[in-house]
Every structure is written in structure tokens, then in C-alpha cells.
């Protein structure tokens, strides 16, 4: 899917990224859609996170979809991750490859 394939029709499935843009556009594609409930999308290059509770399609291969066991409040975990203020710059001091440590 290229950027030119996106629609502005918000009745379609949103195409997401974890960075500031979040919703890149919308698609009518019916494959590769994540529709298993609440999750956190995590970009392992930028360490950006977003809480998502609706069906979506992912744009980037750098995005990891994080879920939780049924007894864990995922929204709380998202807020806690946000509170920690994780950043690539601070993480590189001790870990040259942050994605490998988190994965």
C-alpha cells in the first residue's frame, strides 16, 4: 500500500502509524486488518506508542502490536509506558539496539 492508495473517507478502515500522524488515511482493503480488540501499537524505531481500540491496518513493518492477558488493564499499561517517557536517545546509552531488547 502506497500513500496514494489512501482515502479520506473515514467510514473505511484507518491506516495507522505510531508516530505523530497516527492516521495516515483510510483503505477499503479487507486483508491485513487487525480487529482483535484493544492493543498498543509500538514503533520499534522511534519508540512511539498509541492505544488503539478499533479495527485498523498497519502501514509500517516497524510497528509491533502489543496485547495483554485478560486480567491486565491494557489502557493502564499504555498510560504507564507514556509516563516512563521512553526515548530512543536515552535508551541507546546502554542498549545499541532498543528494538531487540524490547522484542
Amino acid at each position: 500500500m502506497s500513500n496514494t492508495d489512501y482515502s479520506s473517507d473515514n467510514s473505511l478502515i484507518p491506516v495507522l502509524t505510531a508516530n505523530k500522524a497516527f492516521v495516515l488515511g483510510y483503505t477499503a482493503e479487507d486483508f491485513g486488518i487487525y480487529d482483535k480488540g484493544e492493543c498498543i501499537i509500538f514503533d520499534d524505531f522511534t519508540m512511539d506508542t498509541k492505544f488503539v481500540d478499533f479495527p485498523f491496518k498497519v502501514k509500517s513493518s516497524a510497528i509491533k502490536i502489543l496485547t495483554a492477558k485478560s486480567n491486565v488493564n491494557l489502557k493502564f499499561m499504555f498510560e504507564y509506558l507514556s509516563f516512563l517517557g521512553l526515548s530512543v536517545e536515552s535508551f541507546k546509552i546502554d542498549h545499541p539496539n532498543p528494538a531487540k531488547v524490547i522484542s
Side-chain angles (χ1 to χ4, degrees), residues 89-103:
E89 292 78 25
S90 63
F91 202 70
K92 283 183 179 178
I93 295 168
D94 296 322
H95 306 282
N97 186 352
K100 186 171 183 162
V101 174
I102 291 171
S103 297

Side-chain angles (χ1 to χ4, degrees), residues 5-6 15 18 20-21 29 32 35-37 44 46 59 63 66:
D5 294 336
Y6 302 146
V15 179
K20 287 178 178 42
E29 293 178 359
D35 60 357
K36 299 176 184 171
D44 64 6
T46 65
K59 160 69 172 142
I63 289 183
L66 309 177

Side-chain angles (χ1 to χ4, degrees), residues 16-57:
L16 304 184
T17 181
N19 67 24
K20 287 178 178 42
F22 190 45
V23 177
L24 297 174
Y26 300 87
T27 183
E29 293 178 359
D30 60 357
F31 60 91
I33 306 300
Y34 183 88
D35 60 357
K36 299 176 184 171
E38 292 182 344
C39 67
I40 298 170
I41 57 173
F42 174 80
D43 185 316
D44 64 6
F45 291 132
T46 65
M47 298 182 80
D48 287 334
T49 60
K50 298 285 190 235
F51 179 81
V52 184
D53 59 358
F54 51 84
F56 63 92
K57 185 170 183 92

